[in-house]
Amino acid sequence: MEEEVGDQIDQDVVDAISSLGNAHRLQILMALDNVEQEHQEPWHTMSFTELYNAMDVDSTSQFSYHLDRLVGQFVRETSDGYRLTYSGHKIVRTIVSDVYESTSTFEDSEVSGVCLFCEAASLIATLDAEQFRIRCTECDAILITDFFPQSQTRDRSPMEVIESFGYRIWSMYVQLRGDVCPECFGPVERTVDVYEHGGKPVHLHVNSCRECHHRVSLPVEVPVAFHPAVHYSFWEHGISVLDVPLWEFFEYLTSGTIATTIVSDDPFAASFDVTLADESLRLSMDETATVTLERSDGESSTT
């Protein structure tokens, strides 16, 4: 039987979240972070008196009450004084980055690349339902969907915002390569799913975190492009894969630069031919997303 929603919420979690519902307590966290920034020293401590003097409270007993509500989960008491815990740092980062606020407006912008489904060069970056999306205006396929925190738009032009998503997606993939969730850093499980639009299927690796259930789906060709031999081949031909956003990477799939042959759906197996100018590489992939380079001498290397 599936676990009830109420059973997933521990009372300690409720108590921890409720302890944040006071301006004085958030000010304590901010004061501890400010002193770290001032001294450029992580885990810098403040004495009780230093913290009290940094606050605007009526009495030491009132301040002590608020501080006690934070100690343990968000503030650590040491022999040298008080400092933020990892959880305390995360709360401060949430406050200063405004990620809890609604995303600011973002105008639709044309971007380079082609649609994976209709192969039209008609992609736009858009803000839809507070999510960053790359959509094809020709066939209306949604090619990329990602969170759109307000902090990512601050002090960036629309094109700089779009460019930042390109690097952010690759940074997520680098973590996923090591089965690390880019959201909570928990362990990741990977399955293969098929997404179809307009009668054309695309095989995706679906990466699901066992801890926070965060999901990231990427084309199965992405691990192939990041195989060291393929990565180097692109580099030799003047292409830095890390500087090519995913929506522009799609053109390597539609043009046949990376040609995919699905050998089996269950268990998943596929082969890939990567052709750049006069150089060609043959690779294969199994259900674990292990990519194997088939060398001309009969040997193979995996990643």
Side-chain angles (χ1 to χ4, degrees), residues 110-114 123 247-248:
E110 294 183 359
V111 296
S112 300
V114 299
L123 306 186
W247 50 92
E248 292 184 22

Short mmCIF file of all heavy atoms in Angstrom, two decimals, residues 110-114 123 247-248:
data_model
loop_
_atom_site.label_atom_id
_atom_site.label_comp_id
_atom_site.label_asym_id
_atom_site.label_seq_id
_atom_site.Cartn_x
_atom_site.Cartn_y
_atom_site.Cartn_z
N GLU A 110 13.60 34.41 -29.66
CA GLU A 110 14.02 33.39 -30.61
C GLU A 110 15.41 32.89 -30.24
O GLU A 110 16.27 33.65 -29.81
CB GLU A 110 14.03 33.95 -32.03
CG GLU A 110 12.66 34.32 -32.57
CD GLU A 110 12.73 34.81 -34.01
OE1 GLU A 110 13.85 34.87 -34.57
OE2 GLU A 110 11.67 35.14 -34.56
N VAL A 111 15.62 31.58 -30.41
CA VAL A 111 16.93 30.98 -30.14
C VAL A 111 17.35 30.11 -31.31
O VAL A 111 16.50 29.64 -32.09
CB VAL A 111 16.93 30.15 -28.83
CG1 VAL A 111 16.67 31.02 -27.62
CG2 VAL A 111 15.90 29.02 -28.91
N SER A 112 18.65 29.88 -31.43
CA SER A 112 19.15 29.02 -32.48
C SER A 112 18.83 27.57 -32.15
O SER A 112 18.59 27.21 -31.00
CB SER A 112 20.67 29.20 -32.63
OG SER A 112 20.98 30.54 -32.95
N GLY A 113 18.86 26.72 -33.18
CA GLY A 113 18.60 25.30 -32.99
C GLY A 113 17.41 24.85 -33.81
O GLY A 113 16.70 25.66 -34.40
N VAL A 114 17.22 23.54 -33.84
CA VAL A 114 16.11 22.97 -34.60
C VAL A 114 15.28 22.06 -33.70
O VAL A 114 15.76 21.54 -32.70
CB VAL A 114 16.60 22.17 -35.83
CG1 VAL A 114 17.37 23.06 -36.78
CG2 VAL A 114 17.45 20.97 -35.39
N LEU A 123 12.63 27.84 -32.97
CA LEU A 123 12.57 27.68 -31.52
C LEU A 123 12.50 29.03 -30.82
O LEU A 123 13.13 30.00 -31.23
CB LEU A 123 13.79 26.91 -31.02
CG LEU A 123 14.08 25.56 -31.67
CD1 LEU A 123 15.24 24.88 -30.95
CD2 LEU A 123 12.85 24.67 -31.69
N TRP A 247 19.46 22.94 -26.63
CA TRP A 247 18.56 23.15 -27.77
C TRP A 247 19.32 23.31 -29.09
O TRP A 247 18.79 23.02 -30.14
CB TRP A 247 17.64 24.34 -27.54
CG TRP A 247 18.32 25.60 -27.10
CD1 TRP A 247 18.79 26.61 -27.89
CD2 TRP A 247 18.59 26.00 -25.75
NE1 TRP A 247 19.34 27.60 -27.13
CE2 TRP A 247 19.22 27.26 -25.81
CE3 TRP A 247 18.34 25.42 -24.50
CZ2 TRP A 247 19.63 27.95 -24.66
CZ3 TRP A 247 18.74 26.10 -23.37
CH2 TRP A 247 19.37 27.34 -23.44
N GLU A 248 20.59 23.75 -29.04
CA GLU A 248 21.41 23.77 -30.25
C GLU A 248 22.05 22.41 -30.49
O GLU A 248 22.31 22.02 -31.64
CB GLU A 248 22.49 24.85 -30.13
CG GLU A 248 21.94 26.27 -30.15
CD GLU A 248 23.03 27.32 -30.13
OE1 GLU A 248 24.18 27.00 -30.51
OE2 GLU A 248 22.75 28.47 -29.73
#
